[in-house]
């Protein structure tokens, strides 16, 4: 009997992060990755952003597994919230489990998780169905892709990967495993689109060593500092290898870096040999030319850490010296390019030797055009679905497949949007009409354990950040239908050409007029607050040309 397949994404399409792909085979649901994305200037006061998972809550009894391909937040960060409402086993490697637990601690989640630890290459029975895993090369160790068996063939989800045959053991692409899986019919292949417009292979441009080896060998006149994103364990493995080769002792810059060292030591290539480890308490007891200081952190937080170091505000005893060399091996994303520019400027002001590695020369470990074509050539799928990336990049991924001459065309390449459902039933595949799409959206993680999806919250915060806030407070007596105090008007962060005292007087007079009108009838506090906000917004727009957040505080003393 032919099985009925639905494939759709709740997040991750035409965006950067919050990846969450759903494969539904008859009544069985498999969730492939469940991540978050980080906020930008349009989401002030928000810690994380995740996909709306209302569909999963409605069908939680059908979820057979969460399959997490590797240990990055954009693949696993939604788990603390998803599993709380939609419990199911989590299939991942031992390294990925470490990062899931670390994220759980970070957001103060106390729920118990049902882990099923798998090898990067292996076979498991999940919900009575055979699922294959194949090791991939990514900057997080023991990453894998997934192939789920169905009656119509395998549904293959590559995860993040590059084609690399000379990596460390725990960062290896298992071409033999891919070949074995590809011997059977591939129904659907899903591959990411991050570098789909880049010609050639990503390797060897993902390797840090060629950019910094000469610094270790010849250039450095004293200590070497190097900054890395916490998500780039592959670079850490390269640095450890270099330190051992050039007899440098490795010192963790701070407790966060030391914690990551400890977490990753189960990975052979990321375990620092005892003779090469240096406690920062002993840093002044070792010759400068024998020291390598590693600074790790997540996203913009790493650049803020570098900024403090440049300004001499280190949280540890480690302060810069004129003979130091500082290597910035963490090319910034678009979310914090301004911060990175400021940080680099401050580093150069110290007078130390600063080397910043360009993201054009040093690529993150995602598949370029030839990597993607290699996967397509091996699996020769019946249907191809580009995932993960902006719409422009997904289209480029689709066009790469279209131009390969392997029977992929506009009839069997599907570019989805979040919520749009690919329906495969027997020999036919189609996109369901928009009326049958799955509800999608975003959930804003505000504080470690609170979620909100309110656009009003964001709107208010954006106003607060851009135009400031006006707080108006007054005491009234509803029984006597009168005000019992003069309004108090406070302006916070409101900048304008007019004298603030003049603005306050105008606002106070308008508020008095509004309240005197409202107190003539049956007074309702909530209606009054809405009326005050609406009328004061119009007044402020007219008086100062801005729309600060208006916050009325009405106290009834009756």
């Amino acid at each position: 009997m032919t099985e009925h397949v639905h494939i759709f994404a709740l997040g991750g399409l035409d965006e950067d992060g919050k990846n969450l792909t759903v494969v539904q085979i008859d009544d069985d649901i498999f969730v492939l990755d469940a991540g978050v994305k980080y906020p930008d200037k349009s989401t002030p006061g928000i810690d994380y952003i995740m996909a709306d998972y209302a569909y999963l809550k409605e069908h939680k009894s059908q979820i057979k597994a969460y399959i997490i391909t590797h240990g990055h937040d954009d693949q696993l960060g939604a788990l603390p919230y998803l599993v709380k409402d939609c419990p199911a086993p989590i299939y991942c490697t031992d390294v990925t489990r470490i990062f899931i637990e670390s994220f759980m601690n970070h957001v103060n989640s106390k729920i118990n998780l049902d882990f099923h630890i798998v090898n990067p290459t292996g076979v498991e029975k999940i919900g009575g169905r055979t699922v294959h895993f194949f090791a991939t090369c990514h900057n997080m160790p023991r990453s894998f892709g997934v192939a789920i068996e169905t009656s119509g063939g395998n549904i293959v989800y590559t995860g993040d990967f590059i084609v690399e045959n000379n990596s460390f053991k725990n960062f290896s692409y298992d071409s033999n495993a891919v070949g074995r899986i590809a011997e059977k019919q591939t129904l659907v292949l899903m591959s990411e689109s991050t570098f789909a417009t880049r010609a050639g292979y990503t390797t060897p441009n993902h390797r840090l060593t060629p950019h910094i080896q000469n610094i270790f060998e010849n250039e450095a006149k004293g200590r070497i500092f190097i900054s890395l994103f916490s998500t780039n364990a592959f670079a850490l493995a390269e640095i450890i290898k270099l330190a051992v080769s050039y007899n440098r002792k490795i010192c963790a810059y701070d407790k966060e870096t030391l914690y990551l060292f400890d977490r990753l030591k189960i990975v052979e290539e990321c375990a620092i040999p005892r003779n090469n480890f240096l406690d920062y308490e002993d840093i002044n007891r070792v010759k400068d030319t024998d020291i390598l200081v590693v600074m790790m952190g997540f996203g913009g937080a790493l650049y803020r850490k570098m900024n403090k170091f440049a300004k001499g505000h280190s949280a540890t005893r480690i302060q810069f010296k004129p003979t130091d060399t500082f290597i910035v091996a963490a090319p910034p994303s678009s979310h914090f390019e301004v911060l990175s520019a400021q940080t680099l400027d401050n580093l150069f002001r110290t007078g130390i030797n600063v080397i910043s590695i360009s993201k054009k020369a040093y690529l993150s470990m995602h598949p370029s055009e030839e990597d993607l074509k290699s996967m397509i050539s091996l699996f020769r799928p019946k249907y191809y679905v580009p995932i993960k990336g902006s719409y422009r990049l997904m289209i480029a991924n689709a066009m790469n497949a279209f131009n390969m001459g392997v029977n992929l065309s506009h009839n069997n390449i599907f570019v989805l949007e979040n919520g749009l459902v690919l329906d495969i039933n027997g020999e036919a595949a189609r996109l369901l009409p928009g009326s049958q799409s799955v509800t999608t959206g975003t959930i804003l993680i505000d504080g470690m354990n609170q979620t909100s999806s309110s656009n009003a919250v964001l709107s208010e915060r954006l106003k607060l950040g851009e135009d400031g806030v006006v707080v108006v407070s007054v005491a009234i007596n509803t029984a006597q239908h009168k005000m019992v105090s003069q309004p108090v008007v406070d302006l916070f962060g409101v900048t304008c050409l007019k004298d603030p005292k003049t603005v306050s007087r105008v606002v106070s007079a308008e508020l008095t007029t509004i309240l005197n009108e409202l107190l003539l009838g049956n007074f309702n506090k909530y209606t009054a607050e809405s009326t005050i906000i609406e009328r004061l917004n119009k007044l402020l727009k007219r008086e100062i040309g801005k729309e600060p957040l208006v916050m009325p505080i009405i106290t009834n003393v009756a």
Side-chain angles (χ1 to χ4, degrees):
M1 180 179 176
T2 302
E3 293 170 313
H4 194 177
V5 175
H6 279 170
I7 295 173
F8 55 90
L10 297 181
L13 303 186
D14 196 21
E15 61 182 334
D16 181 14
K18 73 179 179 69
N19 302 294
L20 199 163
T21 301
V22 175
V23 173
Q24 184 165 335
I25 307 166
D26 288 337
D27 292 327
D28 294 343
I29 291 175
F30 298 84
V31 179
L32 307 180
D33 290 326
V36 294
K37 70 177 180 180
Y38 287 88
D40 56 24
K41 64 182 180 181
S42 68
T43 48
I46 299 301
D47 294 301
Y48 303 104
I49 302 170
M50 62 178 283
D52 188 325
Y53 55 99
Y55 182 88
L56 295 180
K57 284 194 282 189
E58 292 171 10
H59 301 84
K60 60 184 178 182
S61 63
Q62 297 171 230
I63 302 174
K64 298 303 177 184
Y66 297 97
I67 301 175
I68 309 301
T69 59
H70 62 275
H72 284 160
D73 293 353
D74 63 340
Q75 315 299 129
L76 61 83
L79 282 175
Y81 312 96
L82 274 171
V83 177
K84 182 179 179 181
D85 293 329
C86 314
I90 298 169
Y91 288 78
C92 63
T93 64
D94 52 355
V95 174
T96 301
R97 175 177 179 164
I98 286 171
F99 283 90
I100 293 172
E101 291 176 335
S102 176
F103 193 88
M104 298 282 287
N105 290 332
H106 176 62
V107 299
N108 198 31
S109 176
K110 305 298 183 184
I111 63 173
N112 293 321
L113 301 181
D114 180 13
F115 283 108
H116 291 245
I117 303 304
V118 302
N119 292 319
T121 292
V123 182
E124 297 284 334
K125 282 285 186 180
I126 304 178
R129 187 174 298 277
T130 301
V131 177
H132 302 262
F133 303 102
F134 53 95
T136 57
C137 182
H138 189 47
N139 55 21
M140 189 58 74
R142 300 181 193 167
S143 302
F144 61 71
V146 185
I148 304 172
E149 287 191 7
T150 77
S151 59
N154 291 326
I155 298 172
V156 179
Y157 175 90
T158 64
D160 293 358
F161 76 97
I162 62 171
V163 176
E164 162 67 279
N165 298 311
N166 298 298
S167 291
F168 304 110
K169 179 179 69 175
N170 286 290
F171 299 84
S172 62
Y173 166 66
D174 194 338
S175 57
N176 290 329
V178 170
R180 288 193 298 271
I181 296 168
E183 289 175 359
K184 297 182 178 179
Q185 170 68 46
T186 299
L187 180 64
V188 181
L189 175 62
M190 293 179 274
S191 287
E192 63 152 321
S193 309
T194 308
F195 281 169
T197 57
R198 188 183 182 280
Y201 289 95
T202 296
T203 188
N205 299 300
H206 68 287
R207 296 176 190 153
L208 178 61
T209 301
H211 300 284
I212 64 175
Q213 186 163 357
N214 194 50
I215 299 169
F216 280 78
E217 190 169 341
N218 299 310
E219 294 181 14
K221 306 303 180 186
R223 300 178 304 181
I224 298 174
F225 286 76
I226 189 162
S227 60
L228 300 173
F229 289 128
S230 300
T231 52
N232 196 350
F234 186 90
L236 177 62
E238 289 186 90
I239 288 165
I240 291 171
K241 186 176 181 180
L242 278 171
V244 172
S245 298
Y246 292 97
N247 297 313
R248 292 250 177 184
K249 292 187 179 296
I250 301 171
C251 177
Y253 175 77
D254 58 5
K255 289 182 179 178
E256 180 183 10
T257 307
L258 188 62
Y259 174 81
L260 289 163
F261 283 179
D262 184 62
R263 296 278 86 185
L264 285 166
K265 68 184 180 183
I266 69 166
V267 180
E268 179 184 338
E269 297 92 341
C270 296
I272 301 171
R274 182 176 298 178
N275 291 338
N276 288 89
F277 179 78
L278 176 66
D279 193 300
Y280 75 79
E281 297 285 347
D282 299 323
I283 195 167
N284 294 322
R285 300 189 180 100
V286 176
K287 189 167 60 173
D288 283 359
T289 51
D290 292 339
I291 295 173
L292 169 66
V293 180
V294 178
M295 178 190 293
M296 301 182 76
F298 291 93
L302 174 62
Y303 276 85
R304 288 188 286 273
K305 192 183 295 188
M306 285 190 274
N307 219 354
K308 288 182 178 180
F309 169 80
K311 293 179 177 180
H313 302 317
S314 170
T316 67
R317 298 182 184 182
I318 303 175
Q319 302 291 329
F320 61 80
K321 297 179 181 181
T323 54
D324 288 338
T325 295
F326 200 111
I327 304 168
V328 181
S333 77
S334 57
H335 295 315
F336 46 88
E337 284 183 342
V338 173
L339 172 62
S340 70
Q342 294 171 343
T343 300
L344 283 174
D345 192 57
N346 287 329
L347 282 171
F348 276 102
R349 286 178 185 275
T350 65
I352 64 177
N353 183 32
V354 180
I355 298 166
S356 178
I357 302 173
S358 165
K359 61 183 175 184
K360 291 183 179 179
Y362 175 41
L363 299 181
S364 59
M365 294 171 70
H366 295 280
S368 298
E369 183 178 325
E370 293 303 322
D371 299 277
L372 292 167
K373 288 181 177 179
S374 176
M375 279 290 191
I376 294 170
S377 295
L378 282 165
F379 284 112
R380 292 187 172 266
K382 187 173 183 179
Y383 305 110
Y384 186 64
V385 179
I387 57 172
K388 192 173 182 179
S390 68
Y391 192 77
R392 170 181 66 88
L393 294 173
M394 290 194 295
I395 289 292
N397 191 349
M399 290 305 300
N400 289 340
F402 181 86
N403 292 327
M404 285 182 65
V406 290
N407 297 318
L408 289 175
S409 68
H410 63 279
N411 292 316
N412 55 359
I413 300 174
F414 296 94
V415 179
L416 306 180
E417 297 176 358
N418 289 335
L420 197 59
V421 179
L422 173 60
D423 174 78
I424 305 172
N425 194 358
E427 292 298 313
R430 64 182 181 124
L431 294 179
L432 295 183
S435 59
Q436 296 181 47
S437 293
V438 173
T439 300
T440 60
T442 58
I443 294 179
L444 312 176
I445 311 300
D446 177 11
M448 292 302 95
N449 287 309
Q450 298 179 11
T451 60
S452 170
S453 57
S454 171
N455 289 329
V457 172
L458 275 184
S459 178
E460 289 187 353
R461 286 180 177 170
L462 285 169
K463 280 187 179 181
L464 180 60
E466 293 176 359
D467 291 344
V469 60
V470 175
V471 179
V472 291
S473 52
V474 64
I476 63 172
N477 187 316
T478 53
Q480 298 179 13
H481 302 281
K482 69 177 184 179
M483 296 166 51
V484 297
S485 74
Q486 289 298 312
V488 176
V489 179
D490 292 304
L491 309 180
F492 300 98
V494 179
T495 58
C496 59
L497 295 176
K498 289 191 175 183
D499 180 10
K501 291 182 179 179
T502 301
V503 176
S504 295
R505 284 196 298 270
V506 173
V507 170
S508 178
E510 179 69 5
L511 180 60
T512 299
T513 300
I514 296 167
L515 285 171
N516 284 335
E517 292 173 3
L518 294 172
L519 285 166
L520 292 175
N522 293 323
F523 188 86
N524 180 285
K525 181 180 178 181
Y526 300 103
T527 301
E529 288 177 346
S530 298
T531 303
I532 289 167
I533 290 170
E534 180 182 356
R535 288 178 57 174
L536 289 186
N537 274 335
K538 291 179 180 178
L539 173 74
L540 290 163
K541 178 69 173 178
R542 186 171 64 250
E543 290 290 326
I544 65 174
K546 294 186 177 182
E547 298 181 75
L549 176 64
V550 176
M551 295 180 60
I553 302 173
I554 303 172
T555 304
N556 187 4
V557 296

